[in-house]
Amino acid sequence: MLKKYDAEVVRFFILRAHYRSPLNYSDKHLDDAKQAHRRMYIALRNFEDNLIDISSTQIDWSNEFATKFKEAMNDDFNTSIAIAVLQGLATEVNTIKSLESAILLKNLGGILGLLQDDPVKFVQGKIIDATINEQANSTDSSDAAIVFSELSIETRIKNRAEAKKSRNFAEADAIRKQLADAGIILEDTPQGTTWRRA
């Protein structure tokens, strides 16, 4: 399992079920947990620089989300409800873009051993298996696929930005599709383009 999924994703998957309930293991359920878990990291991504060292930050237990989280944990260690609270808090972070809520999300997640990695690195993930056939852009007639490095992705993002600036939208779309085929999702924001794994 750990060869295919990050250890924190497996932890998240296990914690989504109450410890007294049977654990329904399947790749489908783990893939679902992976996506749900990643959405929480995506919520934290925009606050990366402000989340570097918040270990000394006290949790405000009067906060509505913190109160619900604590009640769930005090109710026979009901981690499935606690996870639902974290997901609700992540939605709020995405909606109102509040640093205070992002810090609370990271701190409450930390109680369960979740959300402690660098958000950007976690969302971008390990890309060693992200491959794409570049035969269309190469004079080489072989079907050999290449591994996309972080530098390669960033270079393509820069080339796409330049193509858009020169109004070459066909080239920009081709670059986006090329990355998408390799499992790299581009997200255009007012601050620039970010990427993550699908």
Side-chain angles (χ1 to χ4, degrees):
M1 193 189 305
L2 292 174
K3 288 181 180 178
K4 188 171 181 182
Y5 299 97
D6 184 274
E8 193 173 310
V9 170
V10 176
R11 176 177 290 165
F12 179 83
F13 164 72
I14 293 169
L15 290 173
R16 284 211 303 184
H18 192 279
Y19 74 91
R20 291 179 183 269
S21 301
L23 194 60
N24 191 359
Y25 171 83
S26 72
D27 281 353
K28 181 180 177 182
H29 288 115
L30 271 161
D31 287 339
D32 178 63
K34 180 180 177 181
Q35 292 303 320
H37 181 250
R38 182 177 289 164
R39 281 193 292 273
M40 293 198 295
Y41 265 113
I42 289 171
L44 295 175
R45 181 177 54 185
N46 294 330
F47 301 96
E48 176 193 20
D49 294 338
N50 298 301
L51 299 174
I52 294 172
D53 184 19
I54 61 168
S55 55
S56 61
T57 306
Q58 294 292 319
I59 294 174
D60 176 11
W61 291 108
S62 66
N63 177 284
E64 176 188 1
F65 288 101
T67 300
K68 288 179 180 177
F69 182 91
K70 187 175 184 179
E71 287 172 354
M73 296 300 285
N74 285 338
D75 180 19
D76 196 22
F77 202 56
N78 196 335
T79 56
S80 59
I81 298 296
I83 291 288
V85 171
L86 293 182
Q87 291 176 306
L89 182 53
T91 299
E92 176 166 298
V93 171
N94 273 329
T95 304
I96 67 173
K97 310 296 184 194
S98 162
L99 174 60
E100 183 180 329
S101 296
I103 290 173
L104 180 61
L105 175 60
K106 187 171 177 71
N107 279 335
L108 290 177
I111 292 172
L112 298 175
L114 301 172
L115 306 177
Q116 300 307 293
D117 284 338
D118 176 284
V120 172
K121 289 182 180 174
F122 192 92
V123 169
Q124 291 177 351
K126 298 179 183 117
I127 59 169
I128 54 172
D129 60 345
T131 59
I132 186 170
N133 185 328
E134 290 202 330
Q135 184 178 2
N137 298 324
S138 171
T139 55
D140 184 357
S141 60
S142 72
D143 289 335
I146 66 162
V147 174
F148 273 12
S149 67
E150 186 173 335
L151 177 61
S152 178
I153 293 169
E154 295 294 346
T155 299
R156 282 170 171 76
I157 290 173
K158 183 178 176 184
N159 292 343
R160 177 175 173 263
E162 290 171 359
K164 286 172 71 175
K165 189 174 181 180
S166 63
R167 304 189 66 76
N168 186 351
F169 298 114
E171 175 67 15
D173 289 345
I175 293 171
R176 177 187 280 276
K177 183 180 185 313
Q178 193 178 61
L179 290 169
D181 289 346
I184 306 299
I185 305 301
L186 299 185
E187 296 175 343
D188 294 320
T189 71
Q191 293 77 34
T193 301
T194 61
W195 62 273
R196 63 179 175 84
R197 293 194 66 193

